[in-house]
Amino acid sequence: MTTGRRNDPRERAVLAGSADITMVLDHEFRVVQRILSSSSQAVRADAVEPGRMPLRDIHPEDLPAAMEALARLAGRPGSTDTFHLRVENGNGGWQFALVVATNCRDDPSIDGLVVRVHLSDDSLPLPSSHVERTPIVDIAPCGIDVRDGHGNVLFTNSWLEARCPGRAGAVDWLDVVRDRPAGEALVRSALAGTSSGTDLSVDVDNRSSWFRIRAEPHRDSSGDVIGVVTTVVDATAEVEARQRLERREQMLSATFAALDQGVLIIDEHSIVTHANAAAHRHLGEPAGTLVGTRLGDSLFDRVLEADDERLPTQVDNAATRAMTTGDEVTGRVIRYAHPDGRDRWFATSTRALAATSVESAAAVATIADITERHERSLVHEHEARHDPLTGLPNRAAMIEHLTGALARQRRHGTGTCGVLFCDLDDFKSVNDTLGHAAGDRVLVVIADRIRAACRAGDRVGRFGGDEFLVVLEDLDHPTETDQIAERLISALQSPVLVGDRTWSIGISVGVAVHSSDADGAADDLIEIADDALYEAKRAGRGTWRTGRPPESGSAAAT
């Protein structure tokens, strides 16, 4: 008789077999489908009705072990386990049964535990002096052996005989396991009254396989242990799949740990769930302390960036954006105050993870230490924008700075900006008389004197040859340029010592002033100052002149 909810060919093939009773149990271990053979009529008719829990008809002494076996199996899709128990028969007595259960929850056509029950003809425990190899045991889809109270094999079934060498009916699975002491421990444990099981590697037909072995105490009617009943199933596919997964995880873990880049795996709350050794090393944190830290909190307290106090929030937002949109957020370079006192520069990238990539993970952030590269870049940039002799900004850097100063002046709508164009008087005679090396030393001294004569916020640069440019911002009054020009001329009146000789070097200055309401670019202001410098040179040198915009006429002498 068959009762069920499905009837497709694959399902019938899975459920068909020589068992007296075949059932499909749902997640609550309730019967959702059953197949009864004609020899199962001794079992109570309502014991395996759909919707009923057949566990209620198991002998109370056997129920805990059965529950444990089914619960263990429920967590291993594709696995098979076997165990012995007593079930209530239709006559009010107890009947022995071999149960073979398979987890088919990964098969949509089954979606449950397939339980095959092989009933024994005996309704009482087998006497210790009479243990027989019955047809039911012999055709079981797993290995079964029975041992006496000393652990000696009394008989085995056909499944084991096909896989173990030895005399038919008395082979010993212990002869094929590689870890024999572990197998013998299972037998001793069962003889001591404790059920136990494990997976053991075996050699079968010159190939490596795995047996899942479970040893149960065999008790008489008084409850005394009189032997051992062992069930064996082939767990090769499951164990090898697990080993492959473990090897893959080990390889990924080793790769994760060995990366030079710091890697942080972050959950949906921006909490760090995994961090490799490089991440701890880059950030100067003790091993293991990054896990549990939230981005944007203590982790990036030491992130620095000039004129940007909001950077920690932006770093947190980069992770949030990656998790929300799935975009990769790359290219952010941050400066980090390392605990060793030296700033580090990191290139960071954040990418969202698929939901199944890492449990509870939402994004992965990488941190690459680019400190040396960044510092080399700063050196190259400095060299490209500064005069190698005096260390002052060069012509390009000064024009860029003046352009920025004029833009700030227009944006604020207030203040005055000035330019001093300076040229040394009679410097050519130094080069001609003492040589270019001496001339270079003079230029260094002159640069220092010009810097000292200017205000703290003024920008001094070498414009080329013996020409210098000074950019003045935030002048309180246009006449402040006159005072600074006078100080420059005064600073250079003292002779310069060159070797064992002193040399008098003068300076002429052209001044240009730009008010907040005036037009004109940086080049225009420099041209006005250059014209004023020409007028100062014509006036006898060692003096200064203030230039006027072209529409106002020629430069005015002071």
Side-chain angles (χ1 to χ4, degrees):
M1 178 177 65
T2 301
T3 301
R5 51 178 179 170
R6 295 168 289 234
N7 196 28
D8 60 81
R10 174 174 173 80
E11 182 183 32
R12 290 198 304 272
V14 172
L15 298 181
S18 60
D20 296 298
I21 306 171
T22 301
M23 297 175 286
V24 178
L25 305 184
D26 63 13
H27 291 263
E28 296 180 351
F29 302 136
R30 296 182 182 275
V31 178
V32 294
Q33 189 172 5
R34 66 175 183 173
I35 298 175
L36 304 180
S37 72
S38 59
S39 61
S40 64
Q41 300 307 312
V43 179
R44 287 173 46 193
D46 63 343
V48 289
E49 283 294 328
R52 181 166 164 66
M53 292 186 66
L55 296 176
R56 297 193 306 180
D57 301 290
I58 297 174
H59 193 285
E61 294 178 359
D62 301 335
L63 183 58
M67 286 290 292
E68 178 186 353
L70 290 176
R72 183 173 58 248
L73 184 68
R76 303 198 309 262
S79 299
T80 298
D81 206 349
T82 62
F83 50 92
H84 298 269
L85 49 73
R86 289 164 288 180
V87 295
E88 188 175 357
N89 60 26
N91 301 321
W94 299 99
Q95 191 163 4
F96 280 90
L98 168 67
V99 179
V100 181
T102 302
N103 187 332
C104 294
R105 288 179 177 169
D106 57 348
D107 186 338
S109 68
I110 304 296
D111 189 25
L113 301 182
V114 176
V115 180
R116 297 182 177 89
V117 182
H118 302 268
L119 298 172
S120 169
D121 293 334
D122 300 305
S123 58
L124 293 174
L126 296 173
S128 59
S129 60
H130 184 70
V131 181
E132 294 182 351
R133 174 171 168 170
T134 65
I136 293 297
V137 170
D138 205 38
I139 65 173
C142 63
I144 299 175
D145 82 354
V146 179
R147 298 170 185 264
D148 63 19
H150 301 290
N152 300 313
V153 177
L154 295 177
F155 69 79
T156 55
N157 71 345
S158 299
W159 192 96
L160 273 176
E161 290 173 0
R163 291 163 176 80
C164 301
R167 179 173 53 84
V171 300
D172 194 341
W173 55 266
L174 286 172
D175 294 335
V176 296
V177 298
R178 292 178 175 176
D179 189 356
R180 187 182 180 97
E184 292 173 342
L186 292 178
V187 176
R188 288 196 301 271
S189 177
L191 289 172
T194 302
S195 302
S196 58
T198 189
D199 293 339
L200 293 176
S201 177
V202 299
D203 287 316
V204 176
D205 297 331
N206 295 320
R207 67 183 182 87
S208 179
S209 301
W210 286 86
F211 282 175
R212 177 161 295 137
I213 304 169
R214 185 164 186 81
E216 304 273 357
H218 181 201
R219 302 177 186 273
D220 60 16
S221 58
S222 300
D224 296 328
V225 177
I226 60 173
V228 178
V229 177
T230 307
T231 55
V232 183
V233 295
D234 190 339
T236 304
E238 180 183 348
V239 172
E240 289 181 348
R242 185 174 67 242
Q243 289 177 335
R244 286 193 297 271
L245 179 60
E246 290 172 352
R247 286 194 297 269
R248 180 170 176 266
E249 290 177 347
Q250 290 170 357
M251 181 186 68
L252 291 176
S253 296
T255 303
F256 183 71
L259 286 173
D260 288 333
Q261 279 192 336
V263 181
L264 303 174
I265 297 178
I266 309 156
D267 69 11
E268 64 273 16
H269 304 295
S270 294
I271 303 297
V272 177
T273 60
H274 298 77
N276 67 350
H280 290 88
R281 184 172 64 252
H282 290 342
L283 299 176
E285 298 289 346
T289 57
L290 291 177
V291 175
T293 307
R294 184 182 184 279
L295 291 182
D297 291 344
S298 58
L299 180 59
F300 283 103
D301 282 347
R302 291 193 294 272
V303 172
L304 307 171
E305 186 171 346
D307 303 325
D308 193 351
E309 297 297 330
R310 300 172 299 164
L311 187 59
T313 302
Q314 292 177 9
V315 172
D316 191 14
N317 287 346
T320 302
R321 174 184 161 195
M323 289 184 281
T324 303
T325 66
D327 296 337
E328 182 177 10
V329 182
T330 60
R332 176 172 292 281
V333 175
I334 62 175
R335 183 162 63 98
Y336 183 79
H338 199 276
D340 66 5
R342 179 190 173 196
D343 287 354
R344 299 285 203 282
W345 290 87
F346 298 139
T348 65
S349 173
T350 307
R351 178 189 291 273
L353 288 175
T356 57
S357 297
V358 180
E359 184 178 358
S360 76
V364 58
T366 59
I367 304 170
D369 190 337
I370 60 169
T371 303
E372 292 185 5
R373 185 176 71 192
H374 182 79
E375 289 176 348
R376 285 196 302 269
S377 174
L378 291 179
V379 170
H380 294 159
E381 181 181 355
H382 184 274
E383 291 175 347
R385 296 170 55 81
H386 288 76
D387 172 44
L389 177 64
T390 62
L392 294 176
N394 60 17
R395 181 189 188 97
M398 289 302 295
I399 292 176
E400 180 181 324
H401 178 74
L402 178 57
T403 300
L406 296 177
R408 286 188 290 274
Q409 183 189 47
R410 284 191 293 269
R411 185 166 61 249
H412 296 151
T414 58
T416 301
C417 182
V419 170
L420 306 183
F421 204 136
C422 311
D423 182 78
L424 301 184
D425 299 330
D426 298 322
F427 177 72
K428 184 176 182 299
S429 62
V430 177
N431 283 334
D432 294 343
T433 305
L434 301 179
H436 288 281
D440 288 347
R441 290 195 294 273
V442 170
L443 287 174
V444 171
V445 173
I446 296 300
D448 290 340
R449 290 187 181 183
I450 293 176
R451 267 191 297 236
C454 294
R455 303 174 305 170
D458 297 337
R459 182 67 61 91
V460 179
R462 184 182 177 194
F463 217 60
D466 60 350
E467 295 178 336
F468 295 85
L469 194 75
V470 181
V471 176
L472 311 173
E473 291 189 71
D474 301 324
L475 295 170
D476 295 330
H477 192 275
T479 58
E480 265 192 282
T481 58
D482 305 345
Q483 300 168 10
I484 297 172
E486 288 282 4
R487 288 205 302 268
L488 290 179
I489 295 171
S490 177
L492 268 67
Q493 288 178 349
S494 299
V496 178
L497 180 64
V498 183
D500 57 354
R501 296 183 57 178
T502 58
W503 209 278
S504 295
I505 303 294
I507 190 170
S508 299
V509 180
V511 179
V513 178
H514 189 277
S515 60
S516 59
D517 57 352
D519 296 325
D523 289 338
D524 299 328
L525 198 60
I526 292 173
E527 184 177 355
I528 294 171
D530 190 22
D531 291 341
L533 172 62
Y534 178 72
E535 293 296 331
K537 288 283 189 181
R538 290 180 57 189
R541 305 185 180 184
T543 187
W544 58 272
R545 290 290 184 270
T546 299
R548 304 297 182 195
E551 62 270 20
S552 300
S554 60
T558 301

